[in-house]
Amino acid sequence: MPKTVSNIIEMKSREKITVLTGYDSTMTTLCDKVDVILVGDSAGMVMLGYDDTRDVTMDDMIRFTTAVRNAKTNSLIVTDLPINSYENEDSAITNSKRLVEAGAHAVKLEGGKEVAKIIKAVKDSGVPVMGHLGLLPQTAEKYSVQAKKSEDAVSLIEDAKILEGSGVFSIVLEMVTSDVAELVTKAVKIPTIGIGSGINCDGQVLVIHDMLGMFEKIKPKFAKRYLNLSDEIRNAVNSYVKDVKEERFPEQEHTFSMEKDELEKLEKEIV
Ligand code: KIV
């Protein structure tokens, strides 16, 4: 059965929520066990080769969302509203609906109290919203651990409560100290999804390229690498190149041939 927003909310305190990013059909098909596929604007870095998420456009996010939808996954699909796509209530609603049309079940946007009205407007228009607090890659000057000081922690907890009041169905906490992530998780009734925010969140999200060991430009401390796929891919590609150069590929099993009599006929015709 396809996962719904209600299913995700009900999982709080019962069962940990698993989230992985997804940007294409093939990989999404392989991730059917995860509860949520996040079509993150991290696509800008891992798929499009940008230095950060700030060059990602609505057209990019629509294309990635369509690809993920085409996998016919049972996971809930949540797509990031990219930077500059939710500057006011009208643009946020229009762009959220475009993402839903492309296949998203919900959207995610970054920010605290300053985006509360926008979240409420999108939610009231019928599109479920996931919040995102802590490190906010669309506006951060540098990537650093958040809520290390008590006044920052107080403000983060306040933001989480305001987002909950605005109607988000869950909140991503990015690079928040684990103590504060735990406090936020206890302070709200909706699930928190941590990335670099410790074990006490209601769920965890990782960028799939980090988790598979495919992305070499940045290796965040919090991203557990379950595979070292970049080495595997490089080795496979090197073997392919060597095989072609040394005429070991293709072999008979990869080759199509004419019937013997057809070949003889052809040879007679072309002499
Ligand atoms: O864009 C993304 O992948 C994200 C996650 C890091 C939470 O927002």
Side-chain angles (χ1 to χ4, degrees), residues 4-20:
T4 63
V5 163
S6 307
N7 295 149
I8 301 303
I9 296 171
E10 282 158 12
M11 288 170 82
K12 184 168 175 102
S13 321
R14 285 197 203 156
E15 183 187 342
K16 292 282 183 181
I17 300 160
T18 54
V19 186
L20 278 174

PDB file of all heavy atoms in Angstrom, residues 4-20:
ATOM      1  N   THR A   4       1.007   7.192   3.214  1.00  0.00           N
ATOM      2  CA  THR A   4       0.333   8.496   3.212  1.00  0.00           C
ATOM      3  C   THR A   4       0.965   9.387   4.291  1.00  0.00           C
ATOM      4  O   THR A   4       1.680   8.895   5.178  1.00  0.00           O
ATOM      5  CB  THR A   4      -1.164   8.340   3.548  1.00  0.00           C
ATOM      6  OG1 THR A   4      -1.260   7.812   4.883  1.00  0.00           O
ATOM      7  CG2 THR A   4      -1.877   7.403   2.588  1.00  0.00           C
ATOM      8  N   VAL A   5       0.611  10.671   4.216  1.00  0.00           N
ATOM      9  CA  VAL A   5       1.075  11.617   5.233  1.00  0.00           C
ATOM     10  C   VAL A   5       0.600  11.158   6.622  1.00  0.00           C
ATOM     11  O   VAL A   5       1.362  11.192   7.593  1.00  0.00           O
ATOM     12  CB  VAL A   5       0.549  13.031   4.880  1.00  0.00           C
ATOM     13  CG1 VAL A   5       0.621  13.963   6.073  1.00  0.00           C
ATOM     14  CG2 VAL A   5       1.335  13.603   3.700  1.00  0.00           C
ATOM     15  N   SER A   6      -0.650  10.693   6.714  1.00  0.00           N
ATOM     16  CA  SER A   6      -1.168  10.224   8.020  1.00  0.00           C
ATOM     17  C   SER A   6      -0.347   9.061   8.544  1.00  0.00           C
ATOM     18  O   SER A   6      -0.064   8.987   9.748  1.00  0.00           O
ATOM     19  CB  SER A   6      -2.617   9.770   7.907  1.00  0.00           C
ATOM     20  OG  SER A   6      -3.376  10.762   7.325  1.00  0.00           O
ATOM     21  N   ASN A   7       0.035   8.132   7.644  1.00  0.00           N
ATOM     22  CA  ASN A   7       0.869   6.998   8.088  1.00  0.00           C
ATOM     23  C   ASN A   7       2.150   7.504   8.731  1.00  0.00           C
ATOM     24  O   ASN A   7       2.606   6.982   9.755  1.00  0.00           O
ATOM     25  CB  ASN A   7       1.290   6.095   6.918  1.00  0.00           C
ATOM     26  CG  ASN A   7       0.140   5.394   6.237  1.00  0.00           C
ATOM     27  OD1 ASN A   7       0.175   5.129   5.046  1.00  0.00           O
ATOM     28  ND2 ASN A   7      -0.908   5.086   7.001  1.00  0.00           N
ATOM     29  N   ILE A   8       2.748   8.532   8.114  1.00  0.00           N
ATOM     30  CA  ILE A   8       4.038   9.048   8.624  1.00  0.00           C
ATOM     31  C   ILE A   8       3.824   9.692   9.998  1.00  0.00           C
ATOM     32  O   ILE A   8       4.594   9.447  10.936  1.00  0.00           O
ATOM     33  CB  ILE A   8       4.656  10.057   7.617  1.00  0.00           C
ATOM     34  CG1 ILE A   8       4.889   9.392   6.247  1.00  0.00           C
ATOM     35  CG2 ILE A   8       5.951  10.659   8.162  1.00  0.00           C
ATOM     36  CD1 ILE A   8       5.762   8.156   6.246  1.00  0.00           C
ATOM     37  N   ILE A   9       2.758  10.461  10.144  1.00  0.00           N
ATOM     38  CA  ILE A   9       2.495  11.121  11.443  1.00  0.00           C
ATOM     39  C   ILE A   9       2.285  10.054  12.534  1.00  0.00           C
ATOM     40  O   ILE A   9       2.826  10.151  13.632  1.00  0.00           O
ATOM     41  CB  ILE A   9       1.254  12.048  11.356  1.00  0.00           C
ATOM     42  CG1 ILE A   9       1.537  13.181  10.362  1.00  0.00           C
ATOM     43  CG2 ILE A   9       0.890  12.613  12.724  1.00  0.00           C
ATOM     44  CD1 ILE A   9       0.329  14.047  10.023  1.00  0.00           C
ATOM     45  N   GLU A  10       1.528   8.997  12.173  1.00  0.00           N
ATOM     46  CA  GLU A  10       1.225   7.942  13.160  1.00  0.00           C
ATOM     47  C   GLU A  10       2.470   7.185  13.618  1.00  0.00           C
ATOM     48  O   GLU A  10       2.471   6.528  14.651  1.00  0.00           O
ATOM     49  CB  GLU A  10       0.244   6.930  12.554  1.00  0.00           C
ATOM     50  CG  GLU A  10      -1.186   7.416  12.531  1.00  0.00           C
ATOM     51  CD  GLU A  10      -2.017   6.674  11.488  1.00  0.00           C
ATOM     52  OE1 GLU A  10      -1.541   5.631  10.960  1.00  0.00           O
ATOM     53  OE2 GLU A  10      -3.130   7.145  11.193  1.00  0.00           O
ATOM     54  N   MET A  11       3.540   7.252  12.826  1.00  0.00           N
ATOM     55  CA  MET A  11       4.746   6.492  13.172  1.00  0.00           C
ATOM     56  C   MET A  11       5.521   7.119  14.336  1.00  0.00           C
ATOM     57  O   MET A  11       6.375   6.474  14.930  1.00  0.00           O
ATOM     58  CB  MET A  11       5.657   6.350  11.947  1.00  0.00           C
ATOM     59  CG  MET A  11       5.089   5.390  10.911  1.00  0.00           C
ATOM     60  SD  MET A  11       5.993   5.446   9.367  1.00  0.00           S
ATOM     61  CE  MET A  11       7.368   4.370   9.747  1.00  0.00           C
ATOM     62  N   LYS A  12       5.218   8.394  14.657  1.00  0.00           N
ATOM     63  CA  LYS A  12       5.949   9.049  15.756  1.00  0.00           C
ATOM     64  C   LYS A  12       5.874   8.198  17.026  1.00  0.00           C
ATOM     65  O   LYS A  12       4.803   7.758  17.413  1.00  0.00           O
ATOM     66  CB  LYS A  12       5.395  10.448  16.023  1.00  0.00           C
ATOM     67  CG  LYS A  12       6.203  11.181  17.096  1.00  0.00           C
ATOM     68  CD  LYS A  12       5.872  12.648  17.196  1.00  0.00           C
ATOM     69  CE  LYS A  12       6.612  13.270  18.367  1.00  0.00           C
ATOM     70  NZ  LYS A  12       7.781  14.039  17.974  1.00  0.00           N
ATOM     71  N   SER A  13       7.013   7.993  17.626  1.00  0.00           N
ATOM     72  CA  SER A  13       7.170   7.237  18.885  1.00  0.00           C
ATOM     73  C   SER A  13       6.818   5.750  18.752  1.00  0.00           C
ATOM     74  O   SER A  13       6.894   5.014  19.736  1.00  0.00           O
ATOM     75  CB  SER A  13       6.330   7.794  20.037  1.00  0.00           C
ATOM     76  OG  SER A  13       6.311   9.168  20.041  1.00  0.00           O
ATOM     77  N   ARG A  14       6.389   5.304  17.573  1.00  0.00           N
ATOM     78  CA  ARG A  14       6.047   3.872  17.423  1.00  0.00           C
ATOM     79  C   ARG A  14       7.121   3.141  16.653  1.00  0.00           C
ATOM     80  O   ARG A  14       7.528   2.044  16.991  1.00  0.00           O
ATOM     81  CB  ARG A  14       4.754   3.730  16.628  1.00  0.00           C
ATOM     82  CG  ARG A  14       3.553   4.075  17.416  1.00  0.00           C
ATOM     83  CD  ARG A  14       2.326   3.510  16.724  1.00  0.00           C
ATOM     84  NE  ARG A  14       1.154   4.246  17.128  1.00  0.00           N
ATOM     85  CZ  ARG A  14       0.050   4.332  16.435  1.00  0.00           C
ATOM     86  NH1 ARG A  14      -0.045   3.731  15.268  1.00  0.00           N
ATOM     87  NH2 ARG A  14      -0.969   5.009  16.889  1.00  0.00           N
ATOM     88  N   GLU A  15       7.544   3.783  15.563  1.00  0.00           N
ATOM     89  CA  GLU A  15       8.469   3.111  14.645  1.00  0.00           C
ATOM     90  C   GLU A  15       9.291   4.195  13.982  1.00  0.00           C
ATOM     91  O   GLU A  15       8.739   5.231  13.596  1.00  0.00           O
ATOM     92  CB  GLU A  15       7.614   2.381  13.581  1.00  0.00           C
ATOM     93  CG  GLU A  15       8.385   1.580  12.606  1.00  0.00           C
ATOM     94  CD  GLU A  15       7.478   1.024  11.492  1.00  0.00           C
ATOM     95  OE1 GLU A  15       6.236   0.968  11.656  1.00  0.00           O
ATOM     96  OE2 GLU A  15       8.041   0.663  10.446  1.00  0.00           O
ATOM     97  N   LYS A  16      10.583   3.981  13.863  1.00  0.00           N
ATOM     98  CA  LYS A  16      11.447   5.008  13.249  1.00  0.00           C
ATOM     99  C   LYS A  16      11.090   5.181  11.762  1.00  0.00           C
ATOM    100  O   LYS A  16      10.799   4.189  11.063  1.00  0.00           O
ATOM    101  CB  LYS A  16      12.915   4.625  13.382  1.00  0.00           C
ATOM    102  CG  LYS A  16      13.413   4.668  14.815  1.00  0.00           C
ATOM    103  CD  LYS A  16      13.696   6.090  15.289  1.00  0.00           C
ATOM    104  CE  LYS A  16      14.261   6.070  16.698  1.00  0.00           C
ATOM    105  NZ  LYS A  16      14.544   7.416  17.238  1.00  0.00           N
ATOM    106  N   ILE A  17      11.127   6.401  11.318  1.00  0.00           N
ATOM    107  CA  ILE A  17      10.768   6.732   9.929  1.00  0.00           C
ATOM    108  C   ILE A  17      12.052   6.784   9.094  1.00  0.00           C
ATOM    109  O   ILE A  17      13.013   7.448   9.483  1.00  0.00           O
ATOM    110  CB  ILE A  17      10.039   8.096   9.884  1.00  0.00           C
ATOM    111  CG1 ILE A  17       8.767   8.025  10.742  1.00  0.00           C
ATOM    112  CG2 ILE A  17       9.726   8.517   8.456  1.00  0.00           C
ATOM    113  CD1 ILE A  17       8.225   9.382  11.167  1.00  0.00           C
ATOM    114  N   THR A  18      12.030   6.086   7.964  1.00  0.00           N
ATOM    115  CA  THR A  18      13.231   6.074   7.107  1.00  0.00           C
ATOM    116  C   THR A  18      12.989   6.934   5.870  1.00  0.00           C
ATOM    117  O   THR A  18      11.958   6.815   5.210  1.00  0.00           O
ATOM    118  CB  THR A  18      13.568   4.635   6.667  1.00  0.00           C
ATOM    119  OG1 THR A  18      12.418   4.055   6.054  1.00  0.00           O
ATOM    120  CG2 THR A  18      13.984   3.783   7.855  1.00  0.00           C
ATOM    121  N   VAL A  19      13.964   7.792   5.592  1.00  0.00           N
ATOM    122  CA  VAL A  19      13.866   8.686   4.439  1.00  0.00           C
ATOM    123  C   VAL A  19      15.187   8.649   3.693  1.00  0.00           C
ATOM    124  O   VAL A  19      16.259   8.680   4.309  1.00  0.00           O
ATOM    125  CB  VAL A  19      13.582  10.149   4.887  1.00  0.00           C
ATOM    126  CG1 VAL A  19      13.328  11.056   3.679  1.00  0.00           C
ATOM    127  CG2 VAL A  19      12.422  10.224   5.877  1.00  0.00           C
ATOM    128  N   LEU A  20      15.114   8.542   2.381  1.00  0.00           N
ATOM    129  CA  LEU A  20      16.305   8.688   1.537  1.00  0.00           C
ATOM    130  C   LEU A  20      15.971   9.652   0.420  1.00  0.00           C
ATOM    131  O   LEU A  20      14.809   9.732  -0.004  1.00  0.00           O
ATOM    132  CB  LEU A  20      16.716   7.336   0.918  1.00  0.00           C
ATOM    133  CG  LEU A  20      17.528   6.389   1.788  1.00  0.00           C
ATOM    134  CD1 LEU A  20      17.726   5.053   1.073  1.00  0.00           C
ATOM    135  CD2 LEU A  20      18.889   6.989   2.159  1.00  0.00           C
TER     136      LEU A  20
END
